[in-house]
Amino acid sequence: MQITIRQKPFGYFKITPYLVFIDGELVGHVNRCKPLKIDVEKEEFELTIKDNFYKSTRRCQMKENSTIVFDTIDNFPICLYLLYLIAIIVLTCLHVNLYLPTAAIIATMFVFPILILIYDMINRKNFFLIEY
C-alpha cells in the first residue's frame, strides 16, 4: 500500500529535510515543499521522524492511499513571536506610544526565543506532532 507523508503547509519554514524511518529503517526525506510517497507492506508500523537531535515516534495503522501529516511543536510559538515582532516594528515606525519601556520591549525580544528553546529541549523526544 502507498502512503504519503507531508508537513503541514502553514508555519515555520525549514529548508533542510527531516529523516523518515519506518520500523527503524530509513525510507527517505520529507520537508514542507516535497512530500514523501512510499510503499509499505504492513498495515501497522512504527513511524519515526527525526531532525538532528529532535525526534518523534508513533505507532500507525494505515489503509491504502492514506496521508500522514506532521508539524513541529514549536510552530505556533514561533509564528506568534514573529507576529509580535512585526507589530512592535510597525507601531514603532508609526510613532505610536506603546506605554512600554524600551527595555521591556527589548527584553521580550530575547526572553521569548530562549523560552521556546527551553521548551524544545524539554520535549525533544516528542518534537513532532504526527497525525493521520
Side-chain angles (χ1 to χ4, degrees):
M1 80 181 132
Q2 187 175 34
I3 60 170
T4 304
I5 301 171
R6 66 180 177 86
Q7 192 175 3
K8 283 189 178 176
F10 175 74
Y12 179 66
F13 187 79
K14 181 176 177 288
I15 296 172
T16 58
Y18 301 106
L19 300 174
V20 177
F21 297 86
I22 291 185
D23 291 332
E25 182 180 330
L26 179 65
V27 293
H29 307 279
V30 64
N31 62 13
R32 195 172 304 282
C33 299
K34 184 182 171 203
L36 176 65
K37 292 187 179 193
I38 56 173
D39 291 318
V40 179
E41 291 80 28
K42 300 182 260 181
E43 283 186 18
E44 192 172 319
F45 57 89
E46 195 168 285
L47 173 71
T48 302
I49 299 174
K50 188 176 181 187
D51 174 40
N52 298 330
F53 60 96
Y54 297 119
K55 74 175 192 174
S56 288
T57 301
R58 182 167 183 180
R59 194 89 182 141
C60 298
Q61 294 179 346
M62 301 302 295
K63 294 182 172 38
E64 184 68 30
N65 296 325
S66 297
T67 302
I68 297 174
V69 180
F70 72 93
D71 211 354
T72 60
I73 59 170
D74 63 353
N75 190 4
F76 180 72
I78 287 176
C79 292
L80 190 65
Y81 175 65
L82 292 176
L83 287 175
Y84 166 77
L85 287 181
I86 291 169
I88 292 293
I89 291 168
V90 167
L91 292 174
T92 303
C93 290
L94 294 174
H95 301 292
V96 173
N97 191 351
L98 298 176
Y99 300 109
L100 290 172
T102 306
I105 294 172
I106 292 172
T108 57
M109 289 182 183
F110 293 107
V111 169
F112 200 69
I114 291 171
L115 292 176
I116 292 173
L117 181 65
I118 291 170
Y119 179 71
D120 290 351
M121 292 299 173
I122 292 171
N123 294 306
R124 68 182 183 195
K125 296 291 185 199
N126 296 304
F127 186 70
F128 299 102
L129 302 173
I130 302 170
E131 304 167 1
Y132 62 95

